[in-house]
Amino acid sequence: MRVQSMFFKKNATEKLDDAVLQRNLRTAKGKFVDGRAKAVAEIDEWEAIRTHAAALRDRALADLDAYLVEFERNAIRRGTVVHWAQTAQEACAIAVEIARANGVRKVTKSKSMVSEEVNLNERLEEAGIEVIETDLGEYILQLAHEPPSHIVAPAVHKSKEQVAELFEAAHKKPRLTDIAQMTREAREALRDHFLTADMGISGSNFVIAETGTTLTVTNEGNADMVTTLPRIHCVITGIEKVIPTLEDFATLIRLLPRSAIGQTIGNYLTLTTGVKGPGDTDGPEQMHVILVDAGRSKFVGTEMQSMLRCIRCGACMNHCPVYQNVGGHAYGWVYPGPMGSVLTPVYVGIENAGDLPNAATFCGECAVVCPVKIPLPDLMRKLREQQFNERLRPWTERFAIRAWSYAARRPKLYALLTRFAAEFGARLGGREKLIHYWPGLDGWTRGRDIPAPEGRTFRELYRERLRAPWRVKP
């Protein structure tokens, strides 16, 4: 997926004007938020588990190099070939070389955001290899020639009717409208691909150092088919996914499905450790793991390192008012929502994702629901500071911030200006007490009204309370 994040404002405007998308997003919104709330309420010690999970992720990241080497050693012991890719190009080159060396003609895939990140499908198809996405959402998007718009529900922006239209065109069968029947039709279309693929490619939610195991959580069981039926299994995953032990996974799996879509547990947990042994009836003859950096090491040792705790549940975007209104495609790359607003500027360069750190209301909900307590608003604020210091924001915005800073450091001047603004705002609001237009803030007032101030500043009200608290209404 090519980076289009520099066009966020333009994309967001288009998505807000898309009536069909807006209807589909409204339908999905409640399911994620309500589902998570119910699933979380089932566990009394939820906050304690979050705290523990954040700490164990921090411990793994503190010794990231050591755990990766331990994973490599134990994976090799079980017959896995471990590859290291510094860049996206290297990751694709390794996967293509594995395919070419083994005469692979068809690849089945289980969802992998890293493969989207490095454009693996394009590179494989350029090498003459057929690629079939097997996650239902990814399969729908492959038919639509679209990238995912959500990391755990990639086709959430599509309605049932839009999917029915795609299936009718691709499967050459009468259009179905029942979701269960449509799912069965997709399953029948994919079955032959599962049985005839030479190589399976999967992502990995976690890689476990003590056993050399990769682990994938799915709801459809397609990862089991991708990892066991083809003669070659290739895992492509980020270096930050390593955790020390299986016990650590037992903690994280209590958080992941609940945070993602409100499930108590994922339907399928696929653990793969090495190649099939003598006497085994299934499993790959070759297993490869490609550990991808592609910008992740930029976080290590910096004030942004906590972002690497992310377990890719999508809770932050499900609860983000910006994502809920514009959808994932507006963000212009693989990772949407608040997590994408931090990851994308660091991965691809802040100059290529200028508006993303500002694509947030700073309501703080993303940090509240993050299962591993990533301080997402704080990280976005640091990126905003970087943009300001490197003069990457418009001069008008930088001038306004400097002017505010000048006034804020001079209490008397600040009091005078805020008094003027409060009185001016009250007059603009009129009897309705709603501001329909504010000079210089027409980007905000074009689509919404701002509640007008009462006409007096906080300082004035506070001073009045100190003088005569009994005169002030509570």
Side-chain angles (χ1 to χ4, degrees), residues 97-330:
E97 181 55 33
I98 293 169
R100 279 178 171 161
N102 291 280
V104 170
R105 300 174 64 86
K106 179 188 290 186
V107 164
T108 48
K109 286 183 63 197
S110 179
K111 187 183 175 192
S112 163
M113 297 309 294
V114 177
S115 71
E116 294 284 347
E117 182 185 321
V118 303
N119 291 320
L120 181 58
N121 285 15
E122 286 184 26
R123 300 292 87 79
L124 289 168
E125 288 167 355
E126 287 172 0
I129 298 165
E130 184 182 8
V131 180
I132 307 295
E133 296 285 353
T134 65
D135 176 275
L136 182 58
E138 294 283 345
Y139 176 67
I140 291 168
L141 295 183
Q142 189 175 30
L143 297 180
H145 305 289
E146 291 181 18
S149 68
H150 193 288
I151 61 172
V152 296
V156 69
H157 60 290
K158 291 211 169 291
S159 66
K160 180 179 69 173
E161 291 73 23
Q162 290 173 313
V163 175
E165 187 176 337
L166 287 169
F167 281 6
E168 182 183 23
H171 301 157
K172 311 298 182 189
K173 292 182 177 180
R175 181 179 301 197
L176 299 173
T177 55
D178 178 74
I179 291 178
Q181 292 179 345
M182 292 165 65
T183 304
R184 174 165 290 281
E185 183 176 297
R187 186 178 296 153
E188 291 171 354
L190 287 170
R191 185 164 297 278
D192 182 62
H193 294 302
F194 281 127
L195 296 172
T196 56
D198 307 295
M199 183 162 114
I201 295 179
S202 70
S204 181
N205 292 88
F206 303 105
V207 297
I208 300 168
E210 70 171 351
T211 58
T213 299
T214 68
L215 196 151
T216 308
V217 183
T218 67
N219 276 325
E220 302 161 22
N222 57 313
D224 288 7
M225 309 284 270
V226 166
T227 58
T228 55
L229 290 177
R231 54 191 169 89
I232 304 166
H233 175 208
C234 180
V235 179
I236 179 166
T237 188
I239 56 174
E240 83 284 9
K241 297 291 184 67
V242 69
I243 56 176
T245 66
L246 278 167
E247 187 175 348
D248 294 331
F249 166 69
T251 297
L252 294 169
I253 197 59
R254 299 187 73 187
L255 301 173
L256 178 58
R258 283 184 168 86
S259 301
I261 51 177
Q263 285 181 309
T264 303
I265 192 168
N267 288 342
Y268 295 89
L269 307 179
T270 305
L271 290 87
T272 53
T273 310
V275 298
K276 73 176 180 181
D280 290 345
T281 56
D282 55 21
E285 298 168 5
Q286 293 182 37
M287 181 170 176
H288 300 262
V289 176
I290 305 174
L291 296 170
V292 181
D293 183 337
R296 288 158 175 78
S297 54
K298 293 180 188 175
F299 290 89
V300 177
T302 72
E303 57 186 2
M304 309 292 287
Q305 180 169 305
S306 57
M307 191 63 226
L308 293 181
R309 292 181 202 154
C310 181
I311 59 174
R312 305 293 194 267
C313 67
C316 60
M317 61 187 70
N318 294 341
H319 292 73
C320 175
V322 177
Y323 178 91
Q324 288 169 356
N325 284 283
V326 302
H329 286 164

Side-chain angles (χ1 to χ4, degrees), residues 371-385:
V372 287
K373 294 191 171 184
I374 300 172
L376 287 158
D378 291 342
L379 300 184
M380 281 185 272
R381 188 177 297 112
K382 293 180 191 302
L383 289 170
R384 291 184 183 188
E385 291 172 1

Side-chain angles (χ1 to χ4, degrees), residues 341-361:
S341 294
V342 177
L343 286 174
T344 304
V346 179
Y347 280 175
V348 306
I350 198 167
E351 67 280 7
N352 295 316
D355 287 322
L356 292 193
N358 301 281
T361 62

Side-chain angles (χ1 to χ4, degrees), residues 379-393:
L379 300 184
M380 281 185 272
R381 188 177 297 112
K382 293 180 191 302
L383 289 170
R384 291 184 183 188
E385 291 172 1
Q386 182 184 346
Q387 288 180 322
F388 181 85
N389 293 333
E390 295 181 7
R391 305 169 68 88
L392 295 173
R393 300 301 300 167

Side-chain angles (χ1 to χ4, degrees), residues 69-80:
V69 170
E70 182 183 352
F71 167 78
E72 179 184 40
R73 183 172 60 248
N74 289 321
I76 291 174
R77 191 174 295 157
R78 296 297 300 267
T80 299

